[in-house]
Structure formats: structure tokens, C-alpha cells
Amino acid sequence: FFFAFMQPTGDAEINKVESGALEGMEGSSKCSRPKINVELLQQLLDMGFPQIRAERALVKCGGTTVETAIDWLGQHGEDVDIDEPWAPEEAPEAVAPKAPLTEEEKKQKAKELQAKLKAQRDSQAEAERMRDHEREKKRIEFGKQAQETLEEQRKAALRNEEWLRKKQKEDDAKAIARVKEELRKDRAERGFASKDSEEEKKKEEEQNRIKEMRAEFKEIFVGLKAAHEGQAKVAAETMSKYLNNIIKNPTEPKFRKIRLSNAVFQTNVGSLTNGIAYLQKAGFANVGEFLEVAEPDMTRVQAAHTELQVQLLYC
């Protein structure tokens, strides 16, 4: 850069200047301040770079062109000392170039540099956008995995509760059976064995009937689930509400009718394979625009409802 602002006119003069310059540099290299091109500095300032950053870039990159200075700033813009003020003995000296650019050349140069700077900023923005996209993608994936884990834990807890309820029922049934056996023996001793036997037979037949109905309902719902895996849970919840309304209000006609054209019914049940068939098995019949239960068989309705509650544990 020392030669950038010298303007000798002949070979002898050039040699003289170069020789003197070299001697001066050798004698004062340890204490001389760095020199930078004042026009390059002004171009960087015009682009909006702070003075200290612009000076540091020109010193660090050799100050040959604005492009190299911008490249250096792009690589070192986050350095901790990028804006640190110069020590007085280190502050660069701005000098005029040997051959200043014409106004047209300056405009063209500035235009090119602005375009390059914009391209660099656009590239950095795109890179940041891609990083944001990847971070968001990972966040969504993590959230999905966490949701799936929570859902699986919920299902496992429900299955465990069902197992505990079943075990409790079995234990209760065994205890009841022991008491009944003792009562049977007592009644037999007093001559009531025949009547007890008949009652036990009726209860056993009723239990077998319920088991058969449960098996039929299960088969129908398994077919629905196979055809509509993603909608099975909503279908089970919807049909369970219809049946529960009848169980709670067996004498209310409005709870025993479902309008076939109802949008919710069609979406959740009516349009699904085996949806209407399940309700028909529970006692509903097609009556004009409705599915209706005229005289509900409460045992059948309860069996259909119970089976749906069990199936919801596995949806």
C-alpha cells in the first residue's frame, strides 16, 4: 500500500522511490502505522459499515479491494474484538490511491459491491431460514414422539385398570360363589335345594346369553376397526353415548331415536363399515328417517355398551 499513492514519472524515479521506501519500511516497520486506501474506506463507510470495522477489514485483508474487505467482514463479523477501538500507535492512516476511479467507475463499482453484499446477506438469511426450518422440524418431531409416548402410557394405564377391574370381579365372584355354596348347602338341608337350583340355572343361562352377545358385538366392531383404523375410537365413543343415554333414560323416547341424516352421526358412525350394523345388533331398527329402539332389551343394550368400553381401551 505504500506505493499505492506514489506517482513517479520515470524508471529512475521509480527505482529511487522504491529504494527509499524499502529503506524507510525496514527502519520503521516496528512503529509505523498501517496505511489503508481512503477511497476503499469511504466505499465501506458508504455501505453502512462502522468506521472501526471498515478500517480493521482493510488492514486485516491487505486492503487490495473492497470485495476482500467485505469477505473478511462476512467471516469475522461476530469476532469479540471487531469493534474494539485502535490503540493510538496502531490506528491506520488513510491515504489516497495512486489512480482514483472516475465517477462512473465508482458508481459501477459501488453497484457491483452492493449487489455482492446483498447476495451475501441473502445467502446468510437463507442459511438462517434453513436452520430455523430444521429446528422447527425437530421440535415437531420431538412433540409428536412425546405425544405418542403419552398416548401409549395412557392406553397402558387403561389396560392395567381394566385388568385390575377384571381381577377384582373375579375375586368378588369367587367370594360370592363361596357364600352361595354355603347358602345352597344350608337351604338343601332345609328342603329348598330344588328352587335354588332352578334360579342358578336361569342366572347361568343369562350370563351365557350376555357372553354370546358380547362376542357378536366384538366381531362387528373388529370389522369396523379393520376398515377404519383411524376413526374407530371416535365411532366407539359416539355409539357409546347413544347407548348410555338409553341405559340412563330407558323410558324416554327421544333417547331411543337417531336421525340418519344427522351430520355428526353420518361422519362418526353412519358412513363407516359395520357402524349401523352394530347399533342394529343392539336393538335399533330403520324406521323412516331414523334408527329407533321401540322396546329396548336392556341386557342387550348394556352388553353392547360394555363391549364398546372394552374396545376403547385398545383404540
Side-chain angles (χ1 to χ4, degrees), residues 126-295:
E126 178 63 16
E128 183 62 25
R129 188 190 70 79
M130 292 299 296
R131 286 193 292 271
D132 289 343
H133 176 74
E134 286 299 317
R135 284 193 291 267
E136 180 65 11
K137 183 178 178 182
K138 290 180 179 178
R139 186 190 68 79
I140 293 173
E141 290 177 353
F142 178 79
K144 183 178 179 181
Q145 291 173 357
Q147 186 63 34
E148 290 174 351
T149 300
L150 290 174
E151 181 64 15
E152 185 57 36
Q153 291 175 347
R154 184 188 71 82
K155 290 182 178 180
L158 290 174
R159 288 194 292 268
N160 186 57
E161 290 176 6
E162 176 64 16
W163 179 84
L164 290 174
R165 284 196 297 268
K166 184 177 179 181
K167 187 176 184 302
Q168 184 63 48
K169 287 181 179 180
E170 291 175 352
D171 292 342
D172 292 345
K174 289 177 181 179
I176 292 171
R178 285 193 298 269
V179 173
K180 285 183 176 181
E181 179 61 21
E182 292 176 2
L183 291 173
R184 186 192 65 77
K185 290 178 179 180
D186 181 67
R187 291 174 67 83
E189 292 175 358
R190 292 186 288 165
F192 295 104
S194 177
K195 185 177 179 181
D196 288 344
S197 178
E198 185 177 345
E199 291 177 356
E200 289 295 330
K201 184 178 180 181
K202 288 181 179 179
K203 290 181 180 180
E204 184 177 352
E205 289 175 351
E206 182 67 10
Q207 290 298 321
N208 290 336
R209 177 171 171 257
I210 292 173
K211 287 181 180 179
E212 290 175 1
M213 286 189 291
R214 287 276 304 276
E216 292 172 354
F217 286 123
K218 179 179 180 180
E219 182 179 357
I220 295 172
F221 188 82
V222 168
L224 182 151
K225 186 176 180 181
H228 311 281
E229 176 69 25
Q231 297 170 271
K233 181 179 179 181
V234 175
E237 290 173 341
T238 303
M239 291 191 291
S240 182
K241 288 179 182 178
Y242 292 140
L243 296 170
N244 194 46
N245 284 338
I246 296 175
I247 292 170
K248 291 182 176 180
N249 308 278
T251 61
E252 287 287 340
K254 67 178 182 179
F255 292 115
R256 303 202 303 264
K257 296 172 66 175
I258 304 172
R259 187 178 294 276
L260 289 168
S261 60
N262 181 276
V264 174
F265 171 76
Q266 279 297 322
T267 300
N268 296 346
V269 180
S271 62
L272 307 185
T273 302
N274 284 0
I276 292 178
Y278 193 97
L279 293 174
Q280 289 175 331
K281 178 62 70 173
F284 283 86
N286 286 69
V287 181
E289 299 178 357
F290 297 89
L291 280 178
E292 185 175 350
V293 182
E295 294 294 335

Side-chain angles (χ1 to χ4, degrees), residues 6-62:
M6 301 297 293
Q7 299 184 22
T9 56
D11 292 342
E13 185 68 12
I14 291 174
N15 293 334
K16 180 179 179 180
V17 171
E18 289 180 350
S19 176
L22 289 173
E23 290 176 1
M25 291 176 64
E26 290 173 354
S28 61
S29 59
K30 293 184 180 180
C31 60
S32 62
R33 294 160 53 193
K35 292 179 173 57
I36 55 175
N37 187 314
V38 67
E39 291 199 354
L40 297 184
L41 174 62
Q42 188 59 49
Q43 289 182 50
L44 290 174
L45 295 177
D46 290 344
M47 292 179 191
F49 290 106
Q51 173 130 1
I52 291 179
R53 288 196 177 205
E55 291 174 348
R56 184 162 273 113
L58 290 171
V59 170
K60 294 292 185 180
C61 72

Side-chain angles (χ1 to χ4, degrees), residues 94-129:
V95 297
K98 175 183 177 182
L101 298 174
T102 65
E103 288 301 319
E104 188 64 28
E105 289 173 335
K106 289 180 182 180
K107 291 179 181 179
Q108 181 62 30
K109 199 66 160 177
K111 184 176 180 181
E112 293 173 357
L113 294 175
Q114 290 283 6
K116 182 173 182 180
L117 182 60
K118 182 179 182 301
Q120 286 182 340
R121 288 172 177 169
D122 291 345
S123 177
Q124 292 173 350
E126 178 63 16
E128 183 62 25
R129 188 190 70 79

